[in-house]
Amino acid sequence: MQTWNDVIRLANHGSPEPPRRVEKTNAEWKAELTPQQYHVTREHGTERAFTGEYCEAHEAGLYACVCCGTPLYDSRTKFESGTGWPSFTQPVEDNVIKYKKDSSYGMVRVEVLCNVCDAHQGHVFPDGPAPSGLRLCINSAAIKLVTTKEPAAQ
């Protein structure tokens, strides 16, 4: 399990090797994604708070990258952060996401990206619940619920 210090180290020095790579042209991504999905994942955009499909979802399952289908988050690590975006405490595996320093908009944050296809997911913050203390704040437009397992934590 990653800690905030692990996240900062990875954002500054690189991420673990991804399980595979998916690379496509912008034209290929545009043909496969909705305009909202393309804006969020390929242009590093964000959806408005409290508008995403999975913001208040409690269905059991795995959330996969909307671009490449790689499972990224488990519903059992999803929690209500009150921020308006789906929030998770950790990825399903350390090598499926990567972290990147983001200095946009006059602030310093840590961006979360799919490590397989480089799709922007959202940002990570050090104000999540135990055990990781992390809040991976993820755009609904960047993920899709793909399998059913146990009920999500509430």
Side-chain angles (χ1 to χ4, degrees):
M1 179 171 313
Q2 294 175 335
T3 66
W4 182 244
N5 288 334
D6 294 331
V7 168
I8 297 301
R9 180 182 49 76
L10 291 170
N12 290 325
H13 302 293
S15 298
E17 190 68 28
R20 62 188 174 100
R21 286 293 300 160
V22 173
E23 296 180 14
K24 298 181 182 184
T25 66
N26 284 335
E28 289 172 316
W29 288 123
K30 276 188 177 182
E32 294 178 16
L33 302 170
T34 68
Q36 172 84 347
Q37 290 169 333
Y38 182 84
H39 174 66
V40 168
T41 62
R42 309 322 302 178
E43 298 177 323
H44 304 263
T46 191
E47 60 201 7
R48 286 191 346 254
F50 301 101
T51 64
E53 176 181 2
Y54 301 117
C55 180
E56 296 188 27
H58 299 287
E59 292 82 8
L62 294 176
Y63 290 89
C65 176
V66 73
C67 293
C68 68
T70 301
L72 302 177
Y73 315 102
D74 189 310
S75 64
R76 292 173 292 181
T77 67
K78 187 174 187 289
F79 68 98
E80 293 297 326
S81 65
T83 62
W85 290 274
S87 296
F88 301 87
T89 58
Q90 63 189 42
V92 295
E93 298 288 338
D94 287 344
N95 69 338
V96 296
I97 63 170
K98 63 183 175 181
Y99 304 99
K100 180 181 171 188
K101 182 179 175 181
D102 178 2
S103 300
S104 61
Y105 304 106
M107 58 184 136
V108 177
R109 300 177 289 173
V110 177
E111 182 180 15
V112 177
L113 300 124
C114 174
N115 203 20
V116 172
C117 71
D118 300 328
H120 172 76
Q121 296 287 304
H123 291 87
V124 61
F125 302 95
D127 59 3
S132 72
L134 300 177
R135 173 174 52 96
L136 285 87
C137 192
I138 306 301
N139 289 283
S140 288
I143 55 177
K144 60 184 175 183
L145 185 62
V146 292
T147 63
T148 301
K149 295 183 1 179
E150 298 173 23
Q154 295 198 23

